[in-house]
Amino acid sequence: MRVAIVGGARTPFVKAAGVFAQYSALDLGIHVVTACVERLGIDPSVIDELYFGTVLVDPRIPNLAREIILRSGLPKTTNGHFVSNNCITGLVAANAAREAILSGRIKAAIVGGSESMSNPTLTFPRRGESFFFKLNKARRLTQKLAVASSFRPGFLAPQAPSPKEPSTGLTMGQHCEIMAQEYGVGRADQDQVALASHQRAFQAKNQGILAEQIVPLGGVGEDNLIRGDTSLEKLSALPAVFDRSGKGTISAGNSSALTDGASAVCLMLDSYARELGLSILGYLDAVEFAAVPPGDGLLMAPALALPKVMANVGMQISQCDVFEIHEAFSAQVLCNLLAWENGWDRFRDVGAIGAIPRDRMNVFGGSIALGHPFAATGGRLLLNTCAALKSRGGQKGLISVCAAGGGAAAAAISLR
């Protein structure tokens, strides 16, 4: 009994506040889930459950998955499970579906996520929220007037979701600067990772590889963050954005951008997929999670998660044909590469697993070039891994994703 990846779809990944600004996370999710089912050519009733999420949560839609079901053509009796876990949301959704399939409870599910960074839900300042809550609860005119007398104009100032870690007060970029300086990861190496990401994504785009995953939306048919004409000279000219003391190394060019997009992937019991006559793109053999205290390196948990999933499936670095390493920042990738190669002394039970060959890493580009709509990245990585393995004649792939809060996920994919 195995869990097969039988198909999927994603929107173009595009720069936030741009061509997808009119679409909500719900709109994007409906689009990819509908397209996923249509591409498979199956009766929608085949899908038992939908596991779908977003990170920029809209409180007006508490169960995004269920609302997508009600609008996408899936039977209204389909169960919908909402998932939200920062950048690993897509893999959390995939793991939940995988475990449900292996348990025998279901046979098929769609997993994924969508992100509209163009349309975050705005809130009032805490004091403003308290004011309006009290005003709403007041019943008599005298009570309302008493509450109204405490009003201040600042109560109306809208607030976007904070990029700061709730536990530390620092942004992810600031944390990554600390990691880069601690591990001696320099600007030139970071820019080289970014350059490779754009060059490989540009090549994959020109070869039509990315187009096979994409379902156009609103007249947009391709990712628009890929910079095939960039260079080390252009990248090195960009200023540091998180540490401007002169020591900073992280720029807009070696970081993933704010992105709108969505992805959906269909997972199915392998015997059921064959019964339905569906092609199997690959198998989701294992998913593992890890977490570290933010002070030990906010984005260093992949150093633990990837060895865990490799141990789970009994794989060595030399046996892996493709590595999909999420590029939140070039610095985060490089810090984890060092930990995997040399071991991580802060967690002595995790030794070195070896150096990951760069020519097997993010062969179609990574999040720096393609974009990073938080909840949609996991689905893209699943599809990319299967496509890369097929393209290169490989059999085994590994996925690694870091997440806010000191979390991470890793997954093992095989073609046979």
Side-chain angles (χ1 to χ4, degrees):
M1 180 184 292
R2 302 178 72 187
V3 175
I5 301 169
V6 297
R10 70 175 177 89
T11 67
F13 285 3
V14 301
K15 188 175 182 179
V19 293
F20 281 178
Q22 72 270 36
Y23 299 113
S24 66
L26 178 58
D27 296 328
L28 296 171
I30 293 167
H31 186 68
V32 292
V33 169
T34 301
C36 183
V37 174
E38 290 177 349
R39 284 187 164 194
L40 288 170
I42 57 175
D43 186 324
S45 64
V46 165
I47 305 301
D48 297 307
E49 296 184 337
L50 173 67
Y51 296 78
F52 207 89
T54 190
V55 175
L56 298 181
V57 178
D58 184 345
R60 295 164 295 193
I61 307 175
N63 187 341
L64 179 66
R66 183 62 183 153
E67 294 305 316
I68 290 172
I69 289 168
L70 296 175
R71 294 165 169 82
S72 66
L74 289 175
K76 292 180 172 53
T77 52
T78 306
N79 291 318
H81 305 287
F82 177 68
V83 181
S84 187
N85 195 336
N86 298 308
C87 305
I88 60 174
T89 294
L91 291 186
V92 172
N95 184 63
R98 177 179 178 273
E99 291 181 344
I101 292 170
L102 292 177
S103 74
R105 188 173 62 78
I106 65 173
K107 292 182 179 180
I110 291 177
V111 304
S114 60
E115 216 68 61
S116 176
M117 296 190 189
S118 297
N119 298 288
T121 299
L122 303 180
T123 61
F124 292 116
R126 290 291 186 186
R127 292 180 63 195
E129 290 176 350
S130 176
F131 168 81
F132 287 110
F133 180 77
K134 291 177 181 178
L135 188 64
N136 183 64
K137 296 294 288 184
R139 292 293 175 260
R140 293 191 293 272
L141 178 60
T142 54
Q143 293 174 325
K144 290 184 179 293
L145 290 174
V147 174
S149 67
S150 67
F151 174 77
R152 299 292 182 273
F155 293 172
L156 296 176
Q159 293 186 331
S162 174
K164 295 181 179 180
E165 290 286 312
S167 63
T168 67
L170 299 179
T171 67
M172 189 180 291
Q174 290 171 323
H175 273 285
C176 200
E177 275 286 12
I178 295 170
M179 288 165 47
Q181 293 173 27
E182 178 179 351
Y183 288 91
V185 171
R187 174 66 182 266
D189 289 339
Q190 293 178 45
D191 288 345
Q192 184 62 57
V193 169
L195 179 63
S197 185
H198 282 287
Q199 289 177 334
R200 292 176 180 183
F202 186 68
Q203 183 178 23
K205 174 182 172 181
N206 287 344
Q207 292 174 343
I209 294 170
L210 300 181
E212 293 177 2
Q213 304 172 3
I214 292 173
V215 284
L217 175 62
V220 181
E222 60 184 27
D223 306 314
N224 71 5
L225 287 156
I226 301 169
R227 299 291 179 262
D229 61 347
T230 195
S231 64
L232 285 178
E233 291 73 23
K234 290 179 180 179
L235 289 167
S236 64
L238 297 172
V241 293
F242 298 109
D243 180 351
R244 299 180 181 177
S245 68
K247 297 180 180 179
T249 57
I250 299 178
S251 70
N254 55 42
S255 308
S256 58
L258 298 179
T259 314
D260 293 337
S263 67
V265 177
C266 185
L267 303 181
M268 196 172 287
L269 182 67
D270 59 339
S271 58
Y272 191 43
R274 286 190 287 270
E275 179 185 327
L276 294 173
L278 297 174
S279 298
I280 293 176
L281 304 181
Y283 297 92
L284 181 55
D285 293 327
V287 182
E288 293 285 352
F289 302 96
V292 299
D296 285 340
L298 184 78
L299 304 179
M300 290 301 297
L304 309 184
L306 191 65
K308 283 177 68 176
V309 82
M310 291 174 65
N312 184 320
V313 297
M315 188 190 300
Q316 304 294 321
I317 290 289
S318 60
Q319 297 172 306
C320 184
D321 302 295
V322 169
F323 297 86
E324 283 286 342
I325 311 299
H326 165 51
E327 299 168 347
F329 305 91
S330 292
Q332 158 260 320
V333 174
L334 292 166
C335 288
N336 279 283
L337 286 173
L338 287 171
W340 290 323
E341 182 174 0
N342 303 316
W344 197 22
D345 57 8
R346 291 189 180 179
F347 290 83
R348 298 187 186 280
D349 58 331
V350 178
I353 59 173
I356 292 179
R358 299 291 184 90
D359 62 341
R360 300 185 209 166
M361 186 180 83
N362 298 348
V363 297
F364 296 154
S367 297
I368 288 175
L370 296 170
H372 176 36
F374 302 138
T377 288
R380 177 187 70 77
L381 293 171
L382 290 171
L383 294 175
N384 259 27
T385 303
C386 294
L389 288 171
K390 180 181 177 182
S391 174
R392 295 166 70 90
Q395 291 299 318
K396 297 182 182 294
L398 290 169
I399 295 171
S400 170
V401 186
C402 62
I413 305 291
S414 62
L415 292 196
R416 283 195 279 183

